[in-house]
Amino acid sequence: MLTGAGVSAGSGLRTYRGPDGVWEEHKVEEYGNIQTLIEHPERTWQLFGGMRAPVQAAVPNAAHYALARLENSLRPEQRFLLVTQNVDRLHQRAGSRNVVELHGNVSFTRCTNEACDLEPFVDDKDHAHAVPKCPKCSSALRPHIVLFGEAIPPMSSWPVKKALRDCDLFIAIGTSGVVSPASNYVRSAKYAGARTVYVNLEPLSPKNPAFNEEYLGKAEEILPNLLFCGNPSS
Ligand code: OAD
Ligand code: ZN
């Protein structure tokens, strides 16, 4: 399973693209990439620190719960991996267990100095007014997320590669499918012989022929029916 911001839209969190998207208000080139963190770390904090309060106030919706229920109802020999691009931890709060947070977690802070041994830690402050400093090495601290221009850490990418190799059902939910590497996963899944399904409010644009099936509408309405009745609209 691959999820994106559309899964959390039903929990009141903003998506990144589209009319009310995060990148409409904060241009991605000015706030979302690694260069910004190096040159203007206060902007990185302004955007991602500002997400902490809404993320903490949000609660999982029927889409998160349906995915957790599916995972928890599998037979022991069946394997399941939930790969999310979301940084809100709502899947885990709904009860999902085997989750890869491809883009990190916005509620954690870590050191920018890669040689520093400070572990990422839970942090509820938004640091909107001053860039915080590391208590161990005094380098700047940063949100624990993957910015544009940064690689997905192997700890996250490796389990995804392994799961795609013998995947028989791949469902992408609530993602615009424009950000790699996640946007490429469907091709690997299809190559491995999986049934490939796209669930989203809007159709993929441009279409991706690697998807066999497409169900359009709200994930929180479609998923419970699709996963448990085999019919997206029942
Ligand atoms: P996007 O904002 O690009 O796409 C969200 C998709 O969800 C859109 O295609 C919407 O049509 C759809 N959508 C909205 N509400 C929905 C609902 N209730 N049910 C189903 N679909 C709905 O978000 P992502 O594809 O997740 O990275 O974006 C990928 C990455 O780009 C993000 O993780 C983020 C961003 O830049 C970082 O910030 C590191
Ligand atoms: Zn440090």
Side-chain angles (χ1 to χ4, degrees):
M1 307 288 147
L2 169 70
T3 63
V7 163
S8 295
S11 296
L13 297 178
R14 291 169 77 184
T15 59
Y16 292 90
R17 294 168 186 80
D20 190 34
V22 169
W23 301 139
E24 284 299 305
E25 190 187 342
H26 295 91
K27 283 201 172 64
V28 63
E29 315 81 54
E30 289 170 23
Y31 287 86
N33 60 32
I34 180 64
Q35 213 49 38
T36 304
L37 179 73
I38 295 165
E39 291 165 11
H40 304 285
E42 71 286 353
R43 283 192 200 158
T44 309
W45 275 112
Q46 209 181 316
L47 175 59
F48 292 102
M51 284 184 191
R52 287 180 168 173
V55 157
Q56 274 148 28
V59 292
N61 64 57
H64 299 105
Y65 285 118
L67 288 163
R69 183 176 154 205
L70 178 69
E71 179 179 5
N72 290 310
S73 63
L74 295 180
R75 295 188 303 274
E77 72 276 14
Q78 292 180 303
R79 276 170 299 156
F80 177 96
L81 184 65
L82 177 48
V83 182
T84 187
Q85 300 166 90
N86 298 344
V87 293
D88 54 33
R89 228 181 178 86
L90 288 178
H91 286 303
Q92 292 93 328
R93 285 175 55 197
S96 287
R97 288 173 291 138
N98 205 8
V99 181
V100 167
E101 293 175 313
L102 211 57
H103 294 162
N105 186 318
V106 79
S107 303
F108 279 67
T109 293
R110 73 166 194 263
C111 188
T112 51
N113 172 6
E114 287 181 13
C116 176
D117 62 4
L118 181 82
E119 291 291 326
F121 62 94
V122 180
D123 183 9
D124 59 10
K125 298 191 191 69
D126 63 14
H127 302 292
H129 302 296
V131 176
K133 294 266 182 288
C134 175
K136 290 201 167 183
C137 75
S138 301
S139 303
L141 293 174
R142 59 171 287 179
H144 186 45
I145 48 163
V146 176
L147 297 165
F148 282 95
E150 292 189 295
I152 307 281
M155 199 182 91
S156 305
S157 57
W158 184 246
V160 181
K161 279 182 194 153
K162 278 208 306 197
L164 285 169
R165 272 204 315 234
D166 51 10
C167 174
D168 56 13
L169 172 63
F170 177 91
I171 312 183
I173 311 143
T175 175
S176 58
V178 297
V179 176
S180 73
S183 53
N184 303 320
Y185 293 159
V186 63
R187 293 220 312 263
S188 304
K190 172 124 172 165
Y191 185 74
R195 173 183 169 195
T196 53
V197 182
Y198 184 61
V199 176
N200 202 57
L201 200 56
E202 307 156 309
L204 257 187
S205 168
K207 285 248 176 286
N208 185 340
F211 282 107
N212 302 134
E213 299 163 43
E214 182 180 77
Y215 301 107
L216 300 181
K218 292 182 174 177
E220 60 274 28
E221 291 169 4
I222 293 181
L223 269 195
N225 294 320
L226 181 67
L227 299 181
F228 298 104
C229 311
N231 179 347
S233 54
S234 62

